[in-house]
Amino acid sequence: MKKYFLFVLVFFILSCSKENENEPPFCNGTITELGIINVNPNSLSFIPYSGEENIYFRNENGDEVKFEPAFGPIENVFQDNTFEITCDNGGVGYYKFIREQYVVSFKCTELNIEYYLNLYTHNSSIYPIFVDEFWLYFLIPPTENNISFPLILNIITSFNGNESLLKSEFESFNNYEFVDELELLGMTFNNVYKITDLENRSLLTELYFNKDYGVIGFKSESNIWVFNRFE
């Protein structure tokens, strides 16, 4: 009987610890150092570029445009970040971590358009745990006389096993529609993330992306441009 009671007691303690392992600790005003928070390796599939290739797109008239690397090969960078969490005792917990980030970009001189891909770790505002965020955005290269008007694709690429805790917090982040198959100018693409913004008349109104080819299509003014090849 004593052994059974001890087993139940240990199980109860372990269960409580597991339930609360992601809760903020008692706030004492000190900074908790979390070290480097790395991107989940599975999230890297959202950046299929080396940053050294040229990417060609064509429209329905057979015209072709080229996107070339804007800043060279893909970069893997690390940046110091801090954030705060309100604890159950009413205090504030302070955290510091080093964010891992991947960045790559391309530019098209003919269309005067650039696009950037960013993948990085981002903290929850409730728990000291992290998701991976992916941003793909188009913009007009800024000058002194104009302002960029990006069309942005946002994706949480990984909840790192904490989807039940974090899904509600980040539910408004994803802005895409996912389709299993999509045809663009006679080409068929699978597992496509797409967004449309009919009010964004300054640059683009449609954007299509998948993990095989990256950007597979976009609409600029009256033209649909579709991925053709890498070189």
Side-chain angles (χ1 to χ4, degrees):
M1 178 63 72
K2 287 184 178 179
K3 289 184 178 179
Y4 176 76
F5 176 78
L6 182 61
F7 173 80
V8 172
L9 179 61
V10 171
F11 179 80
F12 176 78
I13 292 173
L14 291 175
S15 298
C16 290
S17 299
K18 188 172 183 179
E19 283 182 1
N20 298 325
E21 66 182 359
N22 286 319
E23 291 185 1
F26 185 86
C27 296
N28 57 14
T30 61
I31 296 178
T32 301
E33 300 270 357
L34 300 176
I36 297 175
I37 305 299
N38 294 109
V39 168
N40 188 312
N42 293 330
S43 294
L44 293 176
S45 62
F46 281 82
I47 303 186
Y49 304 122
S50 69
E52 298 178 295
E53 58 272 89
N54 292 318
I55 308 170
Y56 291 84
F57 293 81
R58 65 179 178 87
N59 64 16
E60 61 183 352
N61 298 319
D63 301 323
E64 189 172 77
V65 293
K66 177 180 73 173
F67 281 78
E68 58 187 1
F71 298 105
I74 186 172
E75 294 185 63
N76 180 206
V77 298
F78 295 86
Q79 179 181 353
D80 290 336
N81 285 267
T82 59
F83 64 97
E84 302 175 359
I85 291 177
T86 302
C87 297
D88 290 340
N89 67 330
V92 177
Y94 300 93
Y95 297 86
K96 183 176 181 180
F97 72 100
I98 300 173
R99 165 185 291 162
E100 183 180 26
Q101 181 172 359
Y102 290 84
V103 183
V104 66
S105 56
F106 296 87
K107 61 183 179 181
C108 177
T109 303
E110 297 97 319
L111 299 179
N112 192 35
I113 293 176
E114 299 176 356
Y115 69 81
Y116 294 74
L117 293 87
N118 282 272
L119 174 69
Y120 55 85
T121 54
H122 183 72
N123 62 279
S124 163
S125 61
I126 303 173
Y127 310 97
I129 52 180
F130 299 82
V131 299
D132 292 348
E133 292 187 356
F134 172 76
W135 292 68
L136 163 62
Y137 60 95
F138 275 72
L139 58 84
I140 300 171
T143 68
E144 295 180 358
N145 299 317
N146 71 22
I147 301 175
S148 299
F149 294 93
L151 184 60
I152 301 174
L153 171 65
N154 305 328
I155 304 173
I156 298 295
T157 61
S158 176
F159 285 95
N160 297 308
N162 295 295
E163 187 169 4
S164 61
L165 291 172
L166 302 180
K167 188 172 183 180
S168 60
E169 180 181 356
F170 291 95
E171 64 183 354
S172 63
F173 182 85
N174 295 328
N175 68 337
Y176 60 84
E177 177 185 353
F178 182 81
V179 293
D180 294 329
E181 186 176 282
L182 180 71
E183 183 176 315
L184 294 171
L185 299 186
M187 294 185 66
T188 300
F189 299 93
N190 298 316
N191 302 320
V192 176
Y193 300 82
K194 69 173 186 176
I195 58 173
T196 58
D197 183 1
L198 300 180
E199 296 181 359
N200 186 357
R201 300 297 183 183
S202 59
L203 182 56
L204 303 179
T205 56
E206 299 176 19
L207 175 58
Y208 306 93
F209 171 90
N210 75 4
K211 293 191 289 184
D212 293 326
Y213 305 106
V215 177
I216 58 173
F218 59 92
K219 187 173 183 178
S220 173
E221 297 179 342
S222 59
N223 282 315
I224 290 283
W225 296 93
V226 177
F227 171 79
N228 190 24
R229 68 187 188 281
F230 291 125
E231 284 189 1

